[in-house]
Amino acid sequence: DAQYYYSLNLVGSSLLKEGDSSILGLRYVDGGNTSTTSLFLETRYPATRGLRLNPRLRLTHREFAQGGSSEWSAVPSMRLRYRFARRYLLELEVGGTWSSRELESDTLDSSAYFLYAGYRADFQ
């Protein structure tokens, strides 16, 4: 089955503070068996010289051709990136996923949470 992707992104910089950036996006996917519409917002905000805050939100609606069911989901998260000593980067992201799928005779709700942590050292 062929899949078709359509997307529109609006990008802005220095909207709240010098050096920040924001993306507002809309995406539509026609996948044959499903069609998916997603809206997302992502901002990168320089809190201090080394610390960047990166809140993100994605809202998605999916229609399933088989069975005529549909699903809504929301995925908010917050990423923190801290660069120090010019060569080291610490990264932490925390968030969750909430979804609700309408079935023929029932509704299936689910939730999940995540935490990612990492570091990077540049040896150049």
Side-chain angles (χ1 to χ4, degrees), residues 12 16 19-25 39-47 51-59 75-81 91-96 114:
L16 300 174
D20 73 2
S21 64
S22 297
I23 302 169
L24 176 64
L39 176 70
F40 66 90
L41 175 63
E42 179 173 348
T43 299
R44 294 182 188 127
Y45 184 81
L51 178 64
R52 288 197 173 267
L53 306 176
N54 188 195
R56 302 196 267 185
L57 175 64
R58 186 177 72 240
L59 303 173
V75 183
S77 67
M78 173 63 84
R79 181 189 299 178
L80 305 172
R81 296 182 69 168
E91 188 170 277
L92 176 69
E93 184 174 6
V94 62
F114 59 87

Side-chain angles (χ1 to χ4, degrees), residues 108-121:
L108 178 62
D109 294 327
S110 66
S111 60
Y113 304 93
F114 59 87
L115 172 68
Y116 299 118
Y119 68 93
R120 187 174 78 200

Side-chain angles (χ1 to χ4, degrees), residues 1-85:
D1 283 342
Q3 294 185 1
Y4 300 94
Y5 294 78
Y6 308 92
S7 65
L8 173 67
N9 292 326
L10 300 173
V11 180
S13 60
S14 298
L15 300 174
L16 300 174
K17 181 180 180 180
E18 185 69 31
D20 73 2
S21 64
S22 297
I23 302 169
L24 176 64
L26 180 64
R27 184 177 197 189
Y28 178 76
V29 179
D30 180 359
N33 296 326
T34 63
S35 62
T36 306
T37 304
S38 296
L39 176 70
F40 66 90
L41 175 63
E42 179 173 348
T43 299
R44 294 182 188 127
Y45 184 81
T48 66
R49 182 177 169 148
L51 178 64
R52 288 197 173 267
L53 306 176
N54 188 195
R56 302 196 267 185
L57 175 64
R58 186 177 72 240
L59 303 173
T60 301
H61 181 253
R62 181 173 288 133
E63 293 280 340
F64 298 89
Q66 190 174 26
S69 64
S70 66
E71 178 181 59
W72 282 96
S73 66
V75 183
S77 67
M78 173 63 84
R79 181 189 299 178
L80 305 172
R81 296 182 69 168
Y82 182 66
R83 181 173 295 281
F84 60 99

